Amino acid sequence: MTDSDLRSNPDNFCYRHPQRQSFVLCQRCLRTICPECQTPLPVGVICPECLAEQQKAHKATVTRMPRRRAAGLDGRPVVTYTLVVVTSVFFLIGLIPGVGDVVTSWLFYYPPLAYAQPWRLLTVTLVHASIWHVALNMLALWALGRSLEPLLGRWRFLSLYLLSALGGSVLGALLAPTTPVVGASGAVWGLLGAMFVIGRHLGANVTAIAIILGLNLVITFLPNSNIAWQAHIGGGLIGALVGLIFAKTRKIRQRRTQIWLLVAVAVGLLALLAVPLAIYR
């Protein structure tokens, strides 16, 4: 081979070894490569530079994935399924003679008892009045959680659920201080409220959510419905507020602000709760 051959048709020679003739192309960059520079792949061969880029991209993907899993952003609604299972198990325990009544008596929400037994503010979500009550709540939690949890992440979704439950308990204490309450309806209403607000900020069509909220609101106030509407409204309002916080603090640099705002919501609810509970101290 002479220099004139290279100048006349350089594409027939390896780009890394100009003196070596070859007719094999890299599958990514389409440059000619000699046997020494070829790395076989299932779809052909690639050159050393493309191989290095591919390995670098693969390494970056591998290092990022654990962070997504740690943040609960891998698409699996683990918290939703866990809440459904745990709540269902407690309902079944409540059916056991001699055991269920004891468990229920320690978990249901009654404002005069909540000052000395604050866990009732949240454990109210584990107690239900009937199989239809728990079935409808868990169906709603399952349907809403499968959409919201992958969007928010596990810890944000759990925070939303618990703060909504707390909001329902607080409004119940303020407006119905002597009424016992059971059920996860306040937390579920919070998910609806958050989904409505977040959907509006994302530009999604929230008409269906608005209709569901409206229908549930009508059902809540039906005569003889025996529904703790205070828990529904309180949970829905707090859920909407938490959804607004999430929508306004989506950037990574706003994470600390988001956490402090959620803490402020919890502290504010507990401060409101202290007013009616002081009566029973």
Side-chain angles (χ1 to χ4, degrees), residues 81-109:
Y81 294 152
T82 301
L83 289 172
V84 170
V85 170
V86 170
T87 305
S88 301
V89 167
F90 271 93
F91 176 76
L92 294 176
I93 292 175
L95 299 178
I96 302 175
V99 177
D101 292 341
V102 175
V103 173
T104 300
S105 67
W106 278 91
L107 298 181
F108 81 99
Y109 178 62

Side-chain angles (χ1 to χ4, degrees), residues 19-82:
Q19 305 300 320
R20 299 177 185 177
Q21 190 173 20
S22 178
F23 298 95
V24 177
L25 304 180
C26 172
Q27 295 300 305
R28 293 189 62 182
C29 66
L30 300 180
R31 291 181 292 184
T32 304
I33 48 177
C34 66
E36 181 181 336
C37 300
Q38 298 170 12
T39 299
L41 292 179
V43 293
V45 297
I46 62 174
C47 65
E49 292 181 11
C50 291
L51 177 63
E53 292 178 3
Q54 182 171 305
Q55 291 174 336
K56 182 179 179 180
H58 177 70
K59 182 179 180 181
T61 302
V62 170
T63 56
R64 282 195 298 267
M65 284 303 293
R67 296 179 184 176
R68 289 184 61 83
R69 293 192 183 100
L73 297 173
D74 57 356
R76 295 177 296 175
V78 174
V79 173
T80 298
Y81 294 152
T82 301

